[in-house]
Amino acid sequence: MTTATAPDDILRTRLQAVEGLILQRRLNEAAQQLNTLARKNPADARVYLLGCRLAEASGNLAGSIDMARRAVGAAPGWSVALTELAMALARANQFPEAIAAAQKAVQMDPENAGLLSRVIDVAHRAQRPDIALPWVEAALRLAPAEVRPGLMLWRARDLRGLRREDEAVAAYTELLALEPGSKAARFGRLQSAVAAGQLELAREDVTALLAEDPASPELQFWNEVAHGRVPPQQPAGVAQALFDGVADVWDLHVVGNLRYRLPKQVAEQMLEWHPDRQLNVLDLGCGTGLLGVALGPIQGALIGVDISRPMIDQAARHNLYHRFHQVDVGEALAATPEGLYDVVAALDLFIYMGDLSKAIPDAARILKPGGRLVFSCETAGDDEADLVLRPSMRYAHKASAVEALCRAAGLTDVTIEPTELRHEGGVPLAGYLVTARKPA
């Protein structure tokens, strides 16, 4: 007597075989077999889900999204298909639709720990800790002991992202009780403790971290902050660590969520100064190249300088910059020969540098006669010091002190225009834009 194999078992076996080919990077074979299965099983969502993964493995984001959509169309009530669609959309930085698909998937299957871990990734990629946090907490309730530390770390980070610093300190403390040797938890608690004004706890954490890495410039910076002092400079590695991890979503975040408009504003000024587009520009802290995009092609050199290689890689995709230098901006300024540039721009940069007593004279030196320096600062009030370190770990500068530095460097026609730098927590952040001219 023989037992017939069910058609679904046969399809499952063949899909597993195709999945194995994908894992082995035998993508052409996988595509051929999958196309055959799709013709025979056009209504089976599993075929399209595997097509989604094949397209992803091939680097075809649009194809991955299309296959995920087909899977949802074939099985609209299947949370797995919706989750795959959310992830495919998030990989393509299509965040509003990705979040909507993820939320719908969670509504369908709120107790699925594997699903939660995937939609958490979607929310984090979208820079939405407000959406991620409830999912992290739900996952924690379901998680086995071995995966709880990772989720606890995400919970603390999301609380930090929401500026709920006291709660973040408590969350990091809970994690450290479970894993006392966690450097990530120790450093996270240090940052949150500083922001929350819990400097005694911050000193405890930075002392523990320095014991293992006493030569770290970044930890020495945090040690100064934890002791209530204002370090004159922020090590380049602090900003590098921040920007390396967000480069591929930075434009959407800073322009869409934070309403950052300075590059467009400054590009318009530059074209008023040089309507023929004949100018050489040094873009300090170029980031993802937003100034270059706003400026467009010019009849001259557009040079970008940034400490973050992933940010430079994003800027290079615009094909507008002639050359990039991945280097600390202060070092770049000091090493540049004089009289090269018609415009030196530093937008949203000096808030990470601190003391400008060297940067402004160096920028003035490398300008051509008649060239202009243009940069932005966060506002320090008249009743504050010339240089203030905010809880955000960004520097604010008093406008009168900055103007004095410009004039001491020999720059003239110094103008300071109050402006809105960006939004934080839905509230405009006050700053100002400085333009100054090197005498002809």
Side-chain angles (χ1 to χ4, degrees), residues 416-432:
I416 296 179
E417 179 185 354
T419 190
E420 179 184 297
L421 295 180
R422 74 188 77 81
H423 281 223
E424 288 193 350
V427 178
L429 181 65
Y432 53 89

Side-chain angles (χ1 to χ4, degrees), residues 103-374:
Q103 290 172 324
K104 190 172 181 180
V106 173
Q107 289 172 357
M108 288 180 178
D109 199 358
E111 301 296 309
N112 186 326
L115 182 152
L116 285 168
S117 69
R118 293 186 169 205
V119 296
I120 288 166
D121 287 342
V122 170
H124 284 155
R125 183 174 177 84
Q127 303 288 303
R128 293 295 304 271
D130 56 320
I131 290 175
L133 182 58
W135 293 344
V136 171
E137 291 174 338
L140 269 168
R141 292 192 293 271
L142 300 168
E146 61 270 18
V147 302
R148 285 183 61 81
L151 289 168
M152 292 169 72
L153 183 60
W154 276 123
R155 178 177 63 180
R157 287 174 172 170
D158 287 337
L159 287 166
R160 278 209 73 224
L162 294 170
R163 296 189 176 86
R164 293 159 59 178
E165 301 291 3
D166 287 319
E167 293 175 77
V169 168
Y172 281 121
T173 300
E174 182 183 356
L175 177 54
L176 284 167
L178 188 65
E179 293 195 333
S182 172
K183 292 182 182 179
R186 182 74 64 185
F187 187 66
R189 191 173 73 169
L190 164 62
Q191 294 174 298
S192 286
V194 166
Q198 299 184 37
L199 296 188
E200 184 176 350
L201 185 59
R203 288 192 287 271
E204 175 187 325
D205 288 330
V206 77
T207 298
L209 291 165
L210 277 168
E212 297 190 35
D213 191 5
S216 166
E218 291 75 25
L219 290 177
Q220 291 168 7
F221 167 83
W222 283 102
N223 186 52
E224 290 291 294
V225 174
H227 283 83
R229 298 186 284 267
V230 177
Q233 294 281 339
Q234 184 184 96
V238 174
Q240 183 177 7
L242 170 65
F243 291 112
D244 279 0
V246 297
D248 57 344
V249 298
W250 183 249
D251 289 0
L252 287 170
H253 176 58
V254 75
V255 176
N257 297 340
L258 304 186
R259 306 183 196 178
Y260 179 58
R261 302 290 184 265
L262 279 180
K264 182 176 184 296
Q265 181 181 345
V266 169
E268 289 172 352
Q269 279 189 319
M270 291 166 65
L271 293 177
E272 288 177 6
W273 299 332
H274 299 275
D276 58 1
R277 293 183 175 269
Q278 293 188 11
L279 70 162
N280 294 326
V281 179
L282 180 63
D283 185 4
L284 297 170
C286 64
T288 56
L290 290 173
L291 178 60
V293 171
L295 185 61
I298 61 174
Q299 301 302 313
L302 175 58
I303 309 301
V305 176
D306 205 280
I307 193 64
S308 169
R309 170 50 59 181
M311 296 291 269
I312 287 175
D313 290 343
Q314 293 296 315
R317 298 194 308 169
H318 301 305
N319 294 317
L320 290 166
Y321 287 77
H322 297 84
R323 190 164 64 253
F324 294 98
H325 299 286
Q326 184 194 355
V327 66
D328 173 77
V329 169
E331 295 175 3
L333 281 170
T336 302
E338 66 180 65
L340 291 184
Y341 295 99
D342 298 286
V343 177
V344 172
L347 304 185
D348 225 25
L349 169 68
F350 289 164
I351 57 175
Y352 298 104
M353 286 185 65
D355 177 29
L356 304 180
S357 60
K358 290 184 64 178
I360 288 177
D362 271 335
R365 179 180 55 79
I366 65 177
L367 284 170
K368 294 179 180 179
R372 289 178 173 90
L373 171 64
V374 54

Side-chain angles (χ1 to χ4, degrees), residues 370-392:
R372 289 178 173 90
L373 171 64
V374 54
F375 60 93
S376 61
C377 289
E378 188 171 325
T379 302
D382 291 338
D383 59 343
E384 294 183 290
D386 291 350
L387 183 66
V388 180
L389 185 62
R390 301 293 189 208
S392 63

